[in-house]
Structures are given as C-alpha cells and as structure tokens.
Amino acid sequence: MRSETIERQVVLVSYGTQYLRGKIALDDWHRHGTLFNARLQFRALADNGLLADDFTLWLGILKASGATRLSLHLAAAFEAGVARADKGGAYAVVVHFPDRHQIWVVGEEQATWLSHPLFPNEEGQGYPVFPDAACYGGPIDSYWCLEDRPGQLDVPDTDWKALARAIATDLESPVPSSLAPAGPYFGPLPHDVPWAKFPLFPSSNFTSLAHRIMSTLVRMQSTFSHDTNPRNESNPYQFLDQEGAAKLTIWSRSLDSWMLEVQLRCANETRSFDLTGKNTPLARVHTAPPPRPTAADDDAEEGAKEGASSPDAPTQQSISRSNGKWGDRITFLIQVALGSLVIAFMASLVAAYPWLSVPIVAIWMFFARLMRQN
C-alpha cells in the first residue's frame, strides 16, 4: 500500500530539518525526484490565503523566523482536522520553534462552485458534468496551518535495532532481510535522471539500518501484492480456508502498519551519529486497524454462542472442517489425474499426426490471451 503523499512528506520533513539546521542548502536537494510532478502549496486556514506556492519559499521563511526542525506525525494525535479537506489530512507536519510549534495538515481543496445554484446536478445528469482537465496535471499538496501552540513538542528518538527486532517478531520474517537491496533506499522515481536521484531521507552511517528496514518492508509489500494478485494462479488465498485467509489479511495489515510507522520515524530521524547511545523505549506510533466484521464472522459468532450450550458442537465443527480439507485434497488429486490423462492423450496424437501441433498451440494461445484480458 504505497502512498505518494506521505513519501513527499518524508522528503520534506527529513531534508527540511537538515536545511533548517544549516547542514544542507536548498540547492543540494530541492530537485528531489520524489517531489516531481507535484506542487506543494501552503495556505492560511483563516482566509485560505496563499502563503507560499513552493516548499522552498516556505522553508526559507521558516528558517528566517527561527524554526529549528520539522517532524511528521499522525494528525489524529492532535485532534485537529481541516473543514475544507475531503481527503488527505491523515498526517501532520509540525514546525518547531524554540518556544512554540505549528501544526500543518495536507488536504484537498474543494471548488465552492460545486454547490453553486446554477451547477447542473439534476438526477440522471451524465457524469462528469464538466470534463476534468485538471486530471492531466500533477497532484497538489495543499498545506493549511491549523494551529500555533505554545511550548515544545517532544519527538522521541528511535532505537532502530529494537525496532527491527520488534518488526521481525511480529511479521515472523528477518528484518532487515538479506534479499533487500543494500545501501540507501531511494524509492520509485518518475524520471531516471542522475540529478534527481536522492535517498528518500538523508543517508549516513547512522541511518544505514533505517534504510535497510525500509527496503525490507517495501520488498515484503511488493511480494505480497504480486502473490495475492487475483490473476496470479498461485494466489495463496485460494489454497486457504476462512481462518487462514483471515490470518493472512491481518498479517498484511500489520505489514502496512509497520511501514507507516517506519516512514514516520525515518522522517523524524535527525541524527548523523548517536553521541549518548541512549534511545527512548520503543512504543508503537501506529497500530493496525482491527479486521472488519463480515457476515461470515457474524454467523461464526452466532454459531459459537449456540455451541456454548451444546457440548457436541466443537466436535461437529472440527469434523466438518476436517472433511472440507480432505474433500479439497481429493478434488485436487482428481484434477491432477485428469490433467495427466489429457496431456498423455494429446502427446500421442501429436506423435502420430505432427501437424496437429499447429491448431493445438493456436487454441492454447487464444485461451491464454483471453484469460489475461479477463
């Protein structure tokens, strides 16, 4: 589950902090490929006034105003929202000053003329009423300054070794993985040009483990997405019962949750080396949402309630589940036997009449193309 918005925020926060602290210049990274094809605008919430039409202007004014760093958080932690935002706003960028901090949230602006009395919104009206020419342009991240709060906001440092162990234990997979690419994580870039290729967040000897963790989770997400594609004949879901499919879904949600947590922590990592060797005890920044209840879950819950009053119910359930598994296995063996007979028969035909190989291959390619299209 890839989000281009949060990737742009990771770049903005991590490199922006380095700029505010005088470690890098804007010319060193403002051409970052992750920021291609997108515009970052910054507005005042009160009057929707455009404060900055580019992140370089925004960062320049912040530095001149005394800002010391940026940090990325879940917007829900601040109990704040944007009334104008229909989507987005899941994450908050915090600007830190010595005595206060500002909260900025991304949202999507809504055109007020959508509710204009002359807007043709009668029932049966074809959609779209007006062609959307903006879909050919790049996305716009509109930031609104929600609040200016007094005091400092604490941003805990990350113990990357402890985080790697926690992820490996939860996902039951080595982290970092030896199969993940070594070196900094760059992320997918829209254009392959050397001057736009930067790591997703600043790279150093201290952050090498963070980059490897990120690469590992990206590889795991890509593998899971490929394996569970409905067009994949070896999709693991088709070989699992209801309980196994539910466990695999919970595992994938946990993977997405860890990815989001690592993205937030990578954006907030400011150290090039650790002088103290001490880190804040690991605490989850984000947790996976609970699985959504389904009709099958409701039936299972009712069956459990009925089974509680009947001592024979657990035995019957286990017997039916066992019978279902053996039925699937027998069906699979029958399919293998029939397939083998068909292949042997076709082989004998081709051996006797070699010219039959042409129509057989043509028919096979026709059905293969038809299946891909469907």
Side-chain angles (χ1 to χ4, degrees):
M1 186 183 65
R2 177 175 174 246
S3 171
E4 295 181 356
T5 300
I6 192 173
E7 289 177 354
R8 290 193 290 268
Q9 290 177 318
V10 172
V11 172
L12 176 66
V13 170
S14 60
Y15 284 90
T17 296
Q18 299 292 322
Y19 164 71
L20 293 177
R21 293 186 171 182
K23 296 183 179 180
I24 57 176
L26 285 175
D27 286 339
D28 296 334
W29 64 279
H30 79 278
R31 300 180 184 89
H32 199 298
T34 302
L35 303 178
F36 276 13
N37 301 332
R39 292 296 304 274
L40 278 62
Q41 298 180 349
F42 301 84
R43 297 181 177 275
L45 186 62
D47 57 358
N48 202 35
L50 183 61
L51 303 177
D53 60 349
D54 191 38
F55 68 92
T56 56
L57 174 59
W58 183 68
L59 287 173
I61 297 299
L62 290 180
K63 187 173 184 179
S65 303
T68 58
R69 67 165 296 181
L70 307 175
S71 60
L72 185 61
H73 309 266
L74 295 175
F78 301 99
E79 299 180 353
V82 182
R84 297 187 183 93
D86 180 35
K87 299 178 182 179
Y91 316 104
V93 174
V94 176
V95 182
H96 297 254
F97 295 89
D99 57 347
R100 59 190 176 92
H101 59 278
Q102 294 177 344
I103 303 172
W104 295 74
V105 173
V106 175
E108 291 188 0
E109 293 183 280
Q110 297 297 308
T112 57
W113 275 12
L114 289 174
S115 57
H116 195 283
L118 297 179
F119 185 81
N121 54 3
E122 295 85 358
E123 294 184 3
Q125 176 69 46
Y127 183 82
V129 179
F130 301 107
D132 185 11
C135 68
Y136 295 100
I140 297 177
D141 291 347
S142 294
Y143 284 82
W144 282 282
C145 184
L146 299 186
E147 194 173 352
D148 199 328
R149 297 184 178 182
Q152 295 183 351
L153 178 67
D154 182 46
V155 183
D157 291 328
T158 298
D159 186 336
W160 292 105
K161 293 182 179 179
L163 181 64
R165 291 193 297 267
I167 300 174
T169 301
D170 185 34
L171 300 181
E172 299 180 350
S173 181
V175 177
S177 171
S178 59
L179 300 177
Y185 172 72
F186 289 88
L189 301 176
H191 301 284
D192 186 16
V193 287
W195 49 265
K197 188 175 182 179
F198 295 88
L200 184 65
F201 55 98
S203 176
S204 66
N205 291 333
F206 179 78
T207 60
S208 60
L209 179 56
H211 280 276
R212 292 198 63 198
I213 293 174
M214 176 75 77
S215 298
T216 298
L217 295 183
V218 169
R219 185 181 185 278
M220 293 174 68
Q221 282 187 326
S222 177
T223 301
F224 179 82
S225 177
H226 173 270
D227 292 346
T228 57
N229 190 303
R231 298 183 179 181
N232 193 335
E233 296 180 355
S234 60
N235 189 329
Y237 276 106
Q238 64 181 338
F239 303 110
L240 297 174
D241 55 13
Q242 184 175 0
E243 181 180 358
K247 289 182 178 179
L248 185 58
T249 300
I250 293 174
W251 182 90
S252 67
R253 291 177 178 174
S254 182
L255 171 61
D256 292 339
S257 175
W258 281 116
M259 170 57 82
L260 173 57
E261 174 147 349
V262 170
Q263 288 174 324
L264 295 174
R265 291 178 178 272
C266 288
N268 296 336
E269 182 57 74
T270 62
R271 300 167 291 177
S272 298
F273 49 87
D274 191 0
L275 293 175
T276 63
K278 298 180 180 179
N279 294 286
T280 305
L282 183 64
R284 288 301 305 268
V285 175
H286 180 267
T287 54
R292 297 178 181 177
T294 62
D297 296 333
D298 297 338
D299 294 341
E301 183 177 356
E302 293 178 0
K305 292 180 180 178
E306 295 176 358
S309 59
S310 175
D312 297 333
T315 303
Q316 295 296 331
Q317 291 177 359
S318 60
I319 292 175
S320 62
R321 187 182 299 112
S322 177
N323 290 338
K325 290 183 178 179
W326 278 108
D328 293 340
R329 294 170 182 172
I330 293 173
T331 302
F332 175 74
L333 291 176
I334 292 174
Q335 291 175 346
V336 171
L338 291 177
S340 300
L341 290 175
V342 171
I343 292 175
F345 176 72
M346 298 294 291
S348 62
L349 281 180
V350 172
Y353 306 99
W355 58 269
L356 285 177
S357 60
V358 176
I360 290 174
V361 172
I363 294 173
W364 176 78
M365 293 183 65
F366 172 77
F367 280 103
R369 178 178 296 180
L370 185 62
M371 291 179 64
R372 286 197 300 268
Q373 292 177 350
N374 293 333

